[in-house]
C-alpha cells in the first residue's frame, strides 16, 4: 500500500525532525546576556606546545575559545606573569624538581618549571587567540613570594587582584571560564568566583588540564561541591 507507506514515512520524518530539533535546542540552551562575561585563562605560549610548562593538547582550546567568544560582549583574559626567580619555580628551591611540592607560609605549593616570566615571549598571550573585544587583561602571580592561580585572589588567600570589584562594577553576575589549566588556574578561578558570589560555568572542552598527582579529578570534585557548573561549548547559544 504505497499511500500508507508514504504516510508512515512522513510520520517518521516528522518524528526524526522533532528529535533533532529538540536535541539542537537542548544542546544550545544556555543564553549569554549582558550580565555574562567570558574569562579566558592563561592562553599563553608557555602553556602551549613547545612551551616550558606545556599543557597536553593545550592548543586545542584556542579554536573553541575563539568560537564561543563571538557570543560575548564582555571578555576578560588573564596572563600568568611571574618575576624571574618566582617562588613557584622549582629552580629557586635547592634540591627540588618540577611537580614536587613544598610547604610555604601560605600553604602547599606545587613547584613548576620556570614559566611565564614577565616580558618574555613565553608569557605572551597566544597570537592565535582572536578576541578583539576583550576589554581587560588581568596579570597575576607578579608578587615574587606568592603564587596566584586564581584570577581573583592570590595564593595567600587574601591579596585581591581587583577582578571581583571590576566585574561587579560592570554589573556582571554570570561567568563562563575557559583556558589553561583546568586543574590549576581555571579551577582556582572558578572556586573563587563562587566565593565572590558569581554564578560560574566551566566550559570543559574549552579547557585542558595538567593533571599531576590526581589534580584534575580533585579539581572537578572541588568545583562540583562548590556549585561550579560544568558545561560543553555546544551548550552555549552562540
Ligand atoms: C598555571 C601552573 C602554574 C595555570 C599557572 O595557568 O594553570 N599552572 N602557573
Ligand atoms: Zn604560574
Amino acid at each position: 500500500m504505497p499511500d500508507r507507506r508514504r504516510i508512515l514515512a512522513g510520520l517518521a520524518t516528522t518524528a526524526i525532525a522533532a528529535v533533532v530539533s529538540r536535541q539542537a535546542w537542548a544542546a544550545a540552551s544556555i543564553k549569554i546576556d549582558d550580565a555574562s562575561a567570558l574569562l579566558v585563562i592563561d592562553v599563553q605560549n608557555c602553556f602551549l606546545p613547545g612551551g616550558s610548562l606545556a599543557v597536553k593538547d593545550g592548543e586545542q582550546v584556542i579554536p573553541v575559545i575563539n568560537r564561543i567568544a563571538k557570543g560575548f560582549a564582555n571578555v576578560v583574559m588573564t596572563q600568568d606573569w611571574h618575576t624571574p626567580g618566582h617562588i613557584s619555580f622549582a629552580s629557586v628551591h635547592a634540591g627540588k624538581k618540577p611537580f614536587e611540592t613544598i610547604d610555604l607560609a601560605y600553604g602547599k605549593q606545587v613547584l613548576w618549571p620556570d614559566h611565564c616570566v614577565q616580558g618574555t615571549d613565553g608569557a605572551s598571550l597566544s597570537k592565535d587567540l582572536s578576541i578583539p573585544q576583550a576589554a581587560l587583561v588581568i596579570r597575576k602571580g607578579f608578587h615574587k613570594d606568592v603564587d596566584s592561580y586564581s584570577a581573583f585572589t592570590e595564593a595567600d588567600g587574601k591579596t585581591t587582584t581587583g577582578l571581583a570589584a571590576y566585574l561587579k562594577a560592570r554589573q556582571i553576575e554570570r561567568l563562563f571560564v575557559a583556558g589553561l589549566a583546568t586543574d590549576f588556574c581555571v579551577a582556582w578561578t572558578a572556586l573563587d568566583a563562587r566565593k565572590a558570589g558569581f554564578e560560574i560555568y566551566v566550559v570543559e572542552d574549552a579547557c585542558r588540564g595538567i593533571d599531576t598527582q590526581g589534580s584534575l579529578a580533585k579539581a572537578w570534585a572541588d568545583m562540583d561541591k562548590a556549585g561550579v557548573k560544568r558545561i560543553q561549548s555546544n551548550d552555549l547559544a552562540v
Side-chain angles (χ1 to χ4, degrees), residues 6-66:
R6 213 176 308 125
I7 289 166
L8 285 175
L11 283 174
T13 309
T14 310
I16 288 165
V19 167
V20 168
S21 74
R22 194 149 104 241
Q23 269 174 0
W25 175 81
S29 58
I30 301 173
K31 299 228 164 43
I32 299 162
D33 61 13
D34 288 346
S36 304
L38 177 66
L39 305 183
V40 178
I41 305 296
D42 297 3
V43 183
Q44 293 167 263
N45 296 333
C46 272
F47 300 120
L48 294 168
S52 59
L53 181 42
V55 179
K56 186 170 183 292
D57 300 330
E59 77 285 2
Q60 293 179 14
V61 305
I62 296 173
V64 182
I65 291 173
N66 287 342

Side-chain angles (χ1 to χ4, degrees), residues 130-175:
S130 178
I131 319 178
Q133 78 276 30
L136 175 69
V137 179
I138 285 271
R139 288 173 168 172
K140 60 182 179 61
F142 51 77
H143 290 125
K144 192 169 187 170
D145 296 325
V146 188
D147 206 357
S148 188
Y149 297 142
S150 164
F152 290 97
T153 308
E154 300 190 23
D156 61 4
K158 48 177 190 260
T159 308
T160 178
T161 66
L163 180 58
Y166 167 88
L167 294 169
K168 284 178 185 175
R170 301 208 43 233
Q171 281 86 48
I172 303 295
E173 297 162 8
R174 211 167 359 274
L175 303 175

